[in-house]
Amino acid sequence: MAKPIKKAVFPVGGLGTRFLPATKAMPKEMLPVVDKPLIQYAVEEAQAAGIEEFIFVTGRGKSAIEDHFDHSFELETLLKERGKIDELEAQKAWIPPAGHTAYTRQQEPLGLGHAVWCARHFIEDEPFAVLLADDLVLSDTPCLAQMVEVHQRTKGNVVAVMDVPREHTSRYGVIDPGAVDGDCVEIRGLVEKPAPEEAPSTLSIIGRYILMPEVFEHLSKGERGASNEIQLTDSMAQMIGHQPFHAHRFEGVRFDCGDKIGFLQANIAFALEREELREGVVSFLKALDL
Ligand code: UTP
């Protein structure tokens, strides 16, 4: 039996420059899709996959995230006084219990690998999940739960992948695929942001990972990679051949909400999923008559 995955790391230290001016004074991860911040979608996805400990790697200007996962005494009192008991319960349901969230700061945004490394003291000798909140996945089974199932079978590292147009490979970590077993693809190699002509495939990693703790040994070296950043992909690549490493072609649609068009698409797609909003959105889109 593989060790259960109980901890997830949420790197939220990025500056979100693609989303200025919205992200000047507000964390990118607090941008709402319909009525819920991106980071709450990520935490709920982790909860649905059995995660019990939530570790946020933050940076300056990210305190709204801490407040969001805390009880708001004023709000709860007000809802109680007004008899809005259902709303009160709904507001409390997704907040992790006391002592189950931890926050550490990435003092400089040196890259995703560095952000994950900042969480090393919260992880013991156990596999753990990493979720990037700006990647939002709409699926029947939450993406991380799909990956946990793969991890239980393969007992190693698992990343979520999707095919991207070849001209976009330079935006992603791309896998060199080996044996294929249904939606599960063995990984023979990984390259961060390859030029289209050099990419080993078009299967690209999105912001969902299950990693073995050995990744910290490689991250500790602090080696810089593409864009002069400490890349998570480079440390993951060093584990290939030493322990199982698989890519999971997830079921669902992924939206890159760190990008304006992806964010707008996510809002429409998630609104269409909501019974009380669907009709209004459909009639608005139809009336546009594009
Ligand atoms: P991005 O590449 O989207 O960078 O990071 P960014 O700074 O957030 O946004 P842009 O490109 O300037 O608009 C991918 C993920 O890695 C985290 C980000 O928070 C995001 O979830 N990250 C990135 C860190 O936590 N620290 C870093 O140093 C870099």
Side-chain angles (χ1 to χ4, degrees), residues 27-276:
K28 171 171 75 171
E29 299 76 13
M30 287 301 291
L31 288 170
V33 167
V34 184
D35 54 4
K36 197 192 286 189
L38 289 170
I39 190 68
Q40 188 179 336
Y41 284 98
V43 165
E44 288 180 347
E45 183 182 325
Q47 286 169 326
I51 299 294
E52 293 175 359
E53 310 282 333
F54 305 84
I55 301 142
F56 298 85
V57 182
T58 70
R60 266 179 291 280
K62 301 277 180 169
S63 51
I65 296 175
E66 279 185 56
D67 290 340
H68 190 70
F69 291 100
D70 193 3
H71 287 271
S72 165
F73 180 74
E74 297 85 346
L75 177 66
E76 289 174 12
T77 308
L78 188 90
L79 291 174
K80 213 183 214 163
E81 277 172 9
R82 293 188 179 168
K84 297 193 169 179
I85 303 305
D86 289 350
E87 284 91 333
L88 176 63
E89 291 311 316
Q91 279 312 308
K92 294 201 304 195
W94 47 267
I95 299 178
H100 286 249
T101 51
Y103 298 87
T104 187
R105 273 202 183 194
Q106 183 189 21
Q107 291 146 326
E108 287 172 272
L110 298 179
L112 178 59
H114 180 257
V116 172
W117 178 75
C118 289
R120 66 199 178 283
H121 294 303
F122 295 93
I123 309 288
E124 285 153 44
D125 187 24
E126 61 197 323
F128 63 101
V130 177
L131 295 95
L132 306 186
D134 39 9
D135 270 341
L136 185 55
V137 182
L138 182 59
S139 55
D140 291 335
T141 305
C143 185
L144 189 65
Q146 298 176 36
M147 295 167 69
V148 166
E149 197 269 314
V150 175
H151 169 77
Q152 280 162 352
R153 266 191 289 126
T154 60
K155 302 181 175 55
N157 302 280
V158 184
V159 289
V161 294
M162 59 181 241
D163 264 311
V164 302
R166 188 161 273 276
E167 61 269 28
H168 292 173
T169 55
S170 59
R171 302 178 191 173
Y172 296 90
V174 177
I175 75 162
D176 180 4
V180 178
D181 176 11
D183 292 335
C184 186
V185 184
E186 192 192 347
I187 297 185
R188 290 195 310 204
L190 287 171
V191 197
E192 183 62 31
K193 300 188 172 42
E197 61 279 12
E198 281 160 18
S201 75
T202 52
L203 275 181
S204 303
I205 302 174
I206 66 146
R208 297 290 182 279
Y209 312 78
I210 290 176
L211 298 174
M212 303 302 280
E214 286 77 10
V215 73
F216 291 119
E217 290 167 24
H218 304 292
L219 288 171
S220 295
K221 297 175 210 152
E223 285 165 0
R224 305 274 182 145
S227 318
N228 199 31
E229 290 190 353
I230 301 171
Q231 297 286 355
L232 181 58
T233 306
D234 296 342
S235 287
M236 293 195 302
Q238 293 178 50
M239 292 194 283
I240 297 168
H242 300 285
Q243 24 179 254
F245 213 132
H246 293 85
H248 171 60
R249 284 175 184 268
F250 60 97
E251 167 273 311
V253 184
R254 168 261 193 180
F255 299 93
D256 176 6
C257 293
D259 180 72
K260 284 166 202 158
I261 193 76
F263 177 75
L264 293 168
Q265 288 169 347
N267 268 287
I268 295 169
F270 277 73
L272 289 172
E273 290 293 304
R274 296 265 292 262
E275 215 176 302
E276 76 280 18

